[in-house]
Amino acid sequence: MIRTATGVPMYATVPANGSAPLAAEYVPQAVTVTDRVLDNGVVRVELADDGTLASVCDLRHGGREVLADQGNLLRLHTDLPNYWDAWDVDKHYKNRFTDLLDADSITVVDQDPLLGAIRVERSFGKGSKIVQTITVRAGSPRIDFETDIDWHEAEKFLKAGFPVDIRAAHSSAEIQFGHIQRPTHTNTSWEAARFEVSGHRWVHLAEPGYGVAVINDSTYGHDVSRTVREDGGTTTTVRLSLVRAPRIPDPGADQGRHRLTYSLLPGASIEDAVAEGYALNLPLRVADSGGAPEPVVSVDGGGITVEAVKLADDESGDVVVRLYESNGGRAEGVLRTGFPLAGARITDLLERPLADEVTVDGDSVAVSLRPFQILTLRLKRSGAGE
């Protein structure tokens, strides 16, 4: 969704690796906005008077409440590692903290049919300020937190927490070309030592039948914990690490302006987390092209992700496509090209052939992948290099 220069909101459903024309048709249900509520018919988000999330209701799953407690709770920890100030995070940081619950202002800043947004501003510490724009878009369950931090703290650690009403035995965090699972409990000493873990674009939590993902565009540290409530229910909390303030070796490290976005994705599978992770980090671009061009390549088949498309380094005109299986299971599919296809070969990462030519059916190639397998195909265009 975009807003044109004339102020008219435009909408398009765009396939992966593809394009689509913008239209002024309001296809999804319109977003409704009040002082504290964002509702698009898919999710309903309610803010408390302190600017945290009081409720996230997944309307696609019978109005299921996603949160077990305050969501998007910003927590400022005292951060004093025993040895290496800028490189270490010691577990005892969790013992001292201040929850940022004083909001300077809560303002509705967008209430278009296709987009609603509420802005929360906070001041704290030594002149630091956080401005967050919480956005819901028509037809999408993703809730974005566009965050602008003016940071002037010393030896502090800022986290954003989401306690979700899910009993997750493990978390799944994206790594390059796949994801890794880690237990949410601390039954052993080495599990307890993983109190801060890394991930790329997303972290996913799930119980049978339902999952939630936290997605980010630039902050790769997080912690995940599991607790039992007084009513016997289990809460799993994921907290994203936003910014630190070490003094050594640089007393001015990380001071100043930080801009980042993270998102909460209710009702998410691993496949949804992969797709929205790419969508947040590679947002759509609007171009005046005179029409929607065909994608260079597209893939039919769940779990198959196109990571890169480029021309071959030898200037032959061949197209190199790198795919991988992203769900952790076997995948079968078909890769289709937007150009006449003369042949295809499997190559290594340096684009050197590894096997005989792959069978081509018109402008498509059958693809079969093992869990997390990486596959590089070199596609020869008809007429190229002749």
Side-chain angles (χ1 to χ4, degrees):
M1 175 269 177
I2 67 163
R3 188 185 294 110
T4 65
T6 59
V8 178
M10 305 288 280
Y11 178 84
T13 301
V14 183
N17 303 306
S19 58
L22 287 169
E25 302 173 0
Y26 297 153
V27 179
Q29 180 175 326
V31 180
T32 58
V33 185
T34 65
D35 288 346
R36 296 289 186 273
V37 178
L38 300 164
D39 189 334
N40 64 357
V42 179
V43 292
R44 183 174 65 248
V45 180
E46 298 181 16
L47 273 68
D49 289 338
D50 58 18
T52 61
L53 301 188
S55 171
V56 173
C57 190
D58 190 340
L59 303 176
R60 301 167 303 170
H61 291 82
R64 173 172 177 149
E65 177 56 54
V66 176
L67 298 177
D69 205 340
Q70 292 168 298
N72 193 38
L73 176 62
L74 298 172
R75 179 167 286 181
L76 188 66
H77 293 266
T78 298
D79 184 27
L80 296 167
N82 290 327
Y83 291 105
W84 316 112
D85 202 27
W87 293 275
D88 280 2
V89 175
D90 286 351
K91 190 174 183 178
H92 57 71
Y93 83 86
K94 295 185 177 182
N95 298 334
R96 297 175 62 187
F97 60 84
T98 300
D99 291 337
L100 305 184
L101 298 176
D102 295 327
D104 298 340
S105 64
I106 302 176
T107 311
V108 174
V109 292
D110 266 307
Q111 45 187 339
D112 288 334
L114 295 179
L115 182 147
I118 296 175
R119 182 166 295 155
V120 181
E121 300 187 23
R122 304 181 189 276
S123 301
F124 63 96
K126 299 179 179 180
S128 297
K129 187 172 184 179
I130 297 178
V131 179
Q132 288 197 308
T133 304
I134 304 168
T135 303
V136 168
R137 292 174 173 81
S140 173
R142 198 179 85 195
I143 306 158
D144 291 344
F145 301 84
E146 185 179 342
T147 305
D148 190 330
I149 306 173
D150 189 12
W151 183 247
H152 299 287
E153 303 306 300
E155 296 175 325
K156 300 293 183 181
F157 193 9
L158 182 64
K159 291 255 188 178
F162 293 92
V164 294
D165 193 6
I166 285 178
R167 185 188 187 280
H170 62 263
S171 64
S172 300
E174 188 191 39
I175 59 175
Q176 189 175 30
F177 300 116
H179 58 269
I180 189 170
Q181 294 180 343
R182 300 180 176 95
T184 57
H185 57 74
T186 54
N187 293 345
T188 66
S189 59
W190 53 91
E191 288 162 355
R194 299 170 184 165
F195 56 87
E196 181 81 7
V197 294
S198 60
H200 284 183
R201 285 169 286 214
W202 52 265
V203 180
H204 183 262
L205 307 170
E207 63 187 24
Y210 195 80
V212 173
V214 174
I215 303 167
N216 74 86
D217 71 350
S218 59
T219 55
Y220 304 137
H222 60 273
D223 69 84
V224 181
S225 60
R226 192 175 71 188
T227 58
V228 178
R229 303 195 303 266
E230 291 183 1
D231 62 4
T234 301
T235 296
T236 309
T237 301
V238 56
R239 301 195 308 152
L240 191 63
S241 303
L242 302 183
V243 63
R244 294 181 66 213
R247 281 185 175 275
I248 300 172
D250 178 8
D254 296 335
Q255 297 297 301
R257 206 73 174 271
H258 299 261
R259 295 182 179 88
L260 54 99
T261 300
Y262 55 91
S263 306
L264 182 68
L265 186 65
S269 64
I270 290 287
E271 193 165 9
D272 296 330
V274 172
E276 292 296 340
Y278 275 101
L280 180 64
N281 284 268
L282 299 169
L284 292 174
R285 292 179 293 176
V286 179
D288 185 6
S289 63
E294 290 294 320
V296 178
V297 296
S298 60
V299 174
D300 296 331
I304 302 176
T305 300
V306 177
E307 172 65 18
V309 181
K310 63 182 287 291
L311 290 174
D313 283 350
D314 61 8
E315 300 183 350
S316 62
D318 292 351
V319 176
V320 176
V321 180
R322 184 156 299 130
L323 316 155
Y324 72 99
E325 196 289 316
S326 56
N327 289 345
R330 295 183 180 270
E332 305 281 341
V334 177
L335 181 141
R336 307 183 191 280
T337 63
F339 54 85
L341 185 61
R345 303 192 82 164
I346 298 174
T347 74
D348 62 14
L349 298 183
L350 297 179
E351 304 173 12
R352 298 173 300 194
L354 288 177
D356 294 334
E357 288 201 13
V358 179
T359 301
V360 172
D361 182 9
D363 293 334
S364 64
V365 180
V367 177
S368 178
L369 297 177
R370 301 185 305 276
F372 299 137
Q373 180 184 353
I374 303 169
L375 178 67
T376 303
L377 292 174
R378 182 174 179 134
L379 308 176
K380 184 174 180 59
R381 296 182 293 158
S382 294
E386 297 178 0

